[in-house]
Amino acid sequence: MANLRRAGTGLKTRPYTVLVLATLTVALVSTSLASAADPDKGKAVFEQCAACHSLDGMGDYDGPTLKGIIGRKAGSLEDYRYSAAMKRSDVTWDATTLDKYVADPQAFIPGNRMAFAGITEQAQRADLIAYLAAAGGESK
């Protein structure tokens, strides 16, 4: 096969190089999609949260309901007594803020009252957030 000169770069490539690069790109994209968050796995992770939080807004729990959490300002539910740290945090819950908070609640909002060490595994946090969204965790 003859070498082809790419215009303006001075680099030589072979036609099969393009095929190899395209194959690698497809493999990387497929891997990314395969590792996407799984709400079903997130339901199992939520069991750690369910001791203190509900998703239906009902019941007497130590923590606030997580129903409508995505898109809601932290410390904003009228029927829950939040810590001063949570109220003044100026955080709006989305996938990024929830991920940081669930990883290490005290580091993300120092002085909050949540007595939970956090979930260190990023995939579990992503699954949990996907579950919260799927289970009605988005604000209306």
Side-chain angles (χ1 to χ4, degrees):
M1 295 184 144
N3 286 338
L4 301 174
R5 185 170 293 276
R6 291 176 48 191
T9 64
L11 297 174
K12 294 181 179 182
T13 61
R14 299 188 184 272
Y16 64 84
T17 303
V18 174
L19 178 61
V20 169
L21 290 174
T23 302
L24 287 172
T25 300
V26 169
L28 288 173
V29 169
S30 297
T31 301
S32 294
L33 293 175
S35 66
D38 184 342
D40 290 333
K41 290 180 181 177
K43 184 177 183 179
V45 178
F46 181 76
E47 290 178 15
Q48 297 176 57
C49 312
C52 298
H53 299 278
S54 75
L55 272 176
D56 60 9
M58 307 300 285
D60 185 21
Y61 290 86
D62 289 335
T65 182
L66 298 181
K67 180 179 182 177
I69 186 75
I70 297 173
R72 184 169 74 210
K73 187 173 178 344
S76 65
L77 289 179
E78 304 239 348
D79 61 346
Y80 186 77
R81 190 176 58 89
Y82 292 96
S83 65
M86 188 65 73
K87 287 180 181 179
R88 69 174 173 261
S89 70
D90 199 34
V91 168
T92 298
W93 298 118
D94 60 21
T96 301
T97 56
L98 281 168
D99 181 61
K100 290 176 183 177
Y101 184 71
V102 172
D104 189 345
Q106 290 302 320
F108 188 65
I109 301 177
N112 80 77
R113 283 198 308 251
M114 189 159 100
F116 181 70
I119 298 173
T120 58
E121 190 175 320
Q122 195 281 326
Q124 286 185 335
R125 294 192 312 269
D127 293 341
L128 173 63
I129 294 164
Y131 174 68
L132 290 173
E138 293 191 47
S139 287
K140 303 250 185 238

